[in-house]
Amino acid sequence: MKARKVSDGVYWMGAIDWDRRLFDALISLPDGTSYNAYLIQGTEKTALLDTVDPSRAEVLRAQLAEIDNINYVIAQHAEQDHSGSIPMVLEIFPQAQVVTNPKCKTMLIDLLEIAEDRFITVQDGDILSLGDKTLKFIYTPWVHWPETMVTYLEEEQLLFSCDFFGSHLATSDLYADEGNIYRSAKRYFAEIMMPFRTVIQKNLEKLNKYDIAMIAPSHGPIYLRPQFIMGAYQDWVSVDPRNLVVLPHVSMHGSTAKMVEHLIGALVEQGVQVMPFNLVVADLGELAMALVDAATVVIGTPTVLVGPHPLAVYAAFLANALRPKLKFASIIGSYGWGGKAVETLAGLMPNLKVKILDPVICKGVPKTADYQALDNLAASIATKHQEHNLV
Ligand code: FEO
């Protein structure tokens, strides 16, 4: 694909990775992704803002073959899906210099072995003039690495946001279709940004001081209406969760499955929304998305070798790592002769500042008293949600 014009002197470059299905050997990409670079041509200088994943370097090389010169390669983030082709660009344009912040410079030297004399470092708020175009660098730490920054093209009020506001979506659309992009952007937030939602709140406040006409992220399409994605982020990082229970579960011989089925019905009767995820087949990205809004997580697990099922361990580990705005947690499940499934799972979630509601653990198949205990758990969850005015 060739470069595509965004505005006078500003072009999208990069690659659409239609077939990629896994990121960091961890995050599933059901809709592929893109690595967006941007060419900014001023009357005096030309800058390339970010590059592409090394696996797509040749696509960028073909686009750059149409360009006379690059003076600056701006690195907003050291992760290799954006920085990994910087060495190639420096090889093609031997006079080009890498413009980045000191922390990112150190990481780029560590990760890519770029020579120290190729760098120009900038501080928060520094300006780089390209002639008739002015770039301002704004530090936005922890979206989602410590060195991340964004770049504001003052004359166009155009914000290049790198991972911030991005989406893993392969599409031929240069601009976001708001009807389609929401779920991709939310999934991206859930999987990548949610652990940093407190600092993201601060970065949103920092960006709110700027007049922004367009947001051009480094993954997914460009936003012509910035308030759409900035408003969504504001909602996702807000303090209050919704009246929602997320219920990841796994069952070996059906007893825990019966408990899960009963709890779902009891929660519905109590007016609580519930999203169950059978961990044997669940898309963990969908689970992460559900955790963005949930007030309560209940993990359903059988006891295996005196502990929780490994899939339940994975779910607890994931919830703990993503640090969603959960307020309550509980555990339900069945055991055969003993074990420490509850203690083990609860111990895996120290990052979650949640109140643990009484677990319901039964021996063998659930019986009348166990179903009553599940009804009580549902009632307790409903009461807690009402006390916090969750809707
Ligand atoms: Fe898209 Fe953090 O790299």
Side-chain angles (χ1 to χ4, degrees), residues 53-341:
D53 189 89
S55 64
R56 291 294 181 276
E58 293 311 308
V59 178
L60 182 62
R61 183 191 290 278
Q63 293 163 346
L64 292 174
E66 312 279 323
I67 306 302
D68 292 334
N69 192 28
I70 299 283
N71 301 102
Y72 306 117
V73 186
I74 296 164
Q76 302 188 105
H77 177 24
E79 193 166 13
Q80 291 92 326
D81 53 325
H82 309 292
S83 70
S85 297
I86 291 176
M88 179 193 77
V89 179
L90 296 180
E91 188 183 304
I92 298 171
F93 300 103
Q95 304 307 316
Q97 288 186 286
V98 180
V99 179
T100 191
N101 61 69
K103 199 171 282 184
C104 189
K105 171 186 169 182
T106 302
M107 296 173 93
L108 291 175
I109 292 172
D110 288 342
L111 294 169
L112 301 170
E113 300 183 287
I114 297 172
E116 186 149 11
D117 63 2
R118 299 301 296 266
F119 285 93
I120 298 172
T121 54
V122 293
Q123 300 297 321
D124 189 19
D126 276 0
I127 296 288
L128 178 69
S129 174
L130 305 179
D132 63 341
K133 292 185 170 51
T134 312
L135 299 174
K136 182 170 186 172
F137 304 106
I138 306 166
Y139 284 15
T140 49
W142 294 109
V143 289
H144 60 122
W145 282 14
E147 87 300 2
T148 46
M149 67 179 193
V150 299
T151 305
Y152 183 64
L153 173 52
E154 292 184 338
E155 289 79 6
E156 307 272 341
Q157 299 181 335
L158 203 172
L159 183 74
F160 299 98
S161 61
C162 199
D163 278 345
F164 206 2
F165 308 123
S167 57
H168 283 313
L169 176 65
T171 172
S172 60
D173 294 342
L174 185 58
Y175 300 105
D177 175 338
E178 292 182 6
N180 284 337
I181 195 68
Y182 185 85
R183 281 185 62 80
S184 295
K186 186 174 183 180
R187 184 183 180 104
Y188 185 91
F189 170 86
E191 293 172 330
I192 295 165
M193 296 292 173
M194 187 156 60
F196 311 104
R197 58 190 173 80
T198 307
V199 72
I200 286 175
Q201 173 77 55
K202 290 193 174 72
N203 283 321
L204 282 173
E205 288 166 12
K206 192 172 183 180
L207 294 180
N208 275 335
K209 295 175 187 150
Y210 292 84
D211 291 324
I212 301 172
M214 198 187 308
I215 292 179
S218 295
H219 296 290
I222 295 169
Y223 292 93
L224 290 172
R225 206 169 64 87
Q227 58 268 41
F228 171 80
I229 189 65
M230 293 181 79
Y233 263 66
Q234 192 60 58
D235 181 34
W236 297 332
V237 301
S238 71
V239 175
D240 287 333
R242 287 177 34 218
N243 177 27
L244 168 65
V245 171
V246 168
L247 181 41
H249 62 90
V250 55
S251 186
M252 293 165 71
H253 295 287
S255 295
T256 300
K258 285 179 178 163
M259 299 175 75
V260 167
E261 193 65 34
H262 188 88
L263 181 62
I264 292 169
L267 287 166
V268 170
E269 278 187 36
Q270 293 283 348
V272 179
Q273 188 186 3
V274 55
M275 294 180 70
F277 292 88
N278 182 338
L279 293 167
V280 175
V281 295
D283 175 340
L284 293 179
E286 294 284 332
L287 172 59
M289 280 174 67
L291 286 170
V292 172
D293 301 313
T296 299
V297 63
V298 178
I299 300 178
T301 181
T303 298
V304 186
L305 298 174
V306 308
H309 191 287
L311 291 175
V313 169
Y314 196 107
F317 180 87
L318 184 72
N320 184 65
L322 294 179
R323 297 173 182 250
K325 49 194 170 192
L326 292 164
K327 290 187 179 296
F328 308 101
S330 191
I331 297 156
I332 65 171
S334 167
Y335 68 97
W337 51 87
K340 294 188 177 301

